[in-house]
Amino acid sequence: MPIAPCSRYGVHRMVMQGMTAVKDDDTRENINTLGNWYKCDCGERVISEGTPHWDTALLEYVTEGGIIGMFSIGGVAGFWVESDLINYSNNKTIDGYKFYAA
Ligand SMILES: [Zn+2]
C-alpha cells in the first residue's frame, strides 16, 4: 500500500505510545507478535513487533491502512487490524517514517 507523505513533517514522526494488544478484525484472534504502537501528530499510526525507537528491526508491523479500529483492555489501547496487511521488515525504519522514543 503506498504511503502518503506526512502532512505535517513530510516524513512521519512516529512517537512511541506504549505497549498494546492487537486482534485480527476477521477472526477476533489475538495477534501476539504486534505489541508496540507509534503515532505521528498527523494521525498516522504504526504497530510493530520490534522496537525501532530503540534501534531494533521492525519485524512484523502494520501501518494506518491496516488498522480497522481500537478497543480498550484494562485501560490499555488495543487495536483491530486487517491481518492481510501485516508486513515484515528486518530494517529499523520504513520509507516515509522515522521512529522516536518521545
Ligand atoms: Zn505524519
Side-chain angles (χ1 to χ4, degrees):
M1 171 170 308
I3 301 302
C6 181
S7 59
R8 187 157 311 187
Y9 302 120
V11 172
H12 291 294
R13 188 180 168 86
M14 307 308 295
V15 177
M16 179 60 169
Q17 304 294 311
M19 308 257 282
T20 189
V22 175
K23 291 178 182 285
D24 186 313
D25 181 57
D26 298 318
T27 66
R28 322 300 266 187
E29 301 280 337
N30 292 319
I31 301 176
N32 293 320
T33 48
L34 298 176
N36 304 295
W37 77 286
Y38 299 85
K39 189 176 172 192
C40 180
D41 286 342
C42 75
E44 176 77 17
R45 295 168 295 181
V46 168
I47 311 167
S48 64
E49 177 180 6
T51 50
H53 69 294
W54 284 334
D55 208 30
T56 69
L58 280 137
L59 307 177
E60 287 192 17
Y61 70 93
V62 64
T63 60
E64 185 68 33
I67 296 172
I68 308 300
M70 293 184 77
F71 62 90
S72 179
I73 178 164
V76 174
F79 293 90
W80 297 107
V81 307
E82 180 56 58
S83 61
D84 290 347
L85 297 178
I86 294 173
N87 296 298
Y88 186 90
S89 175
N90 279 317
N91 294 325
K92 297 170 183 176
T93 189
I94 318 167
D95 283 348
Y97 297 82
K98 284 194 172 177
F99 293 87
Y100 300 88

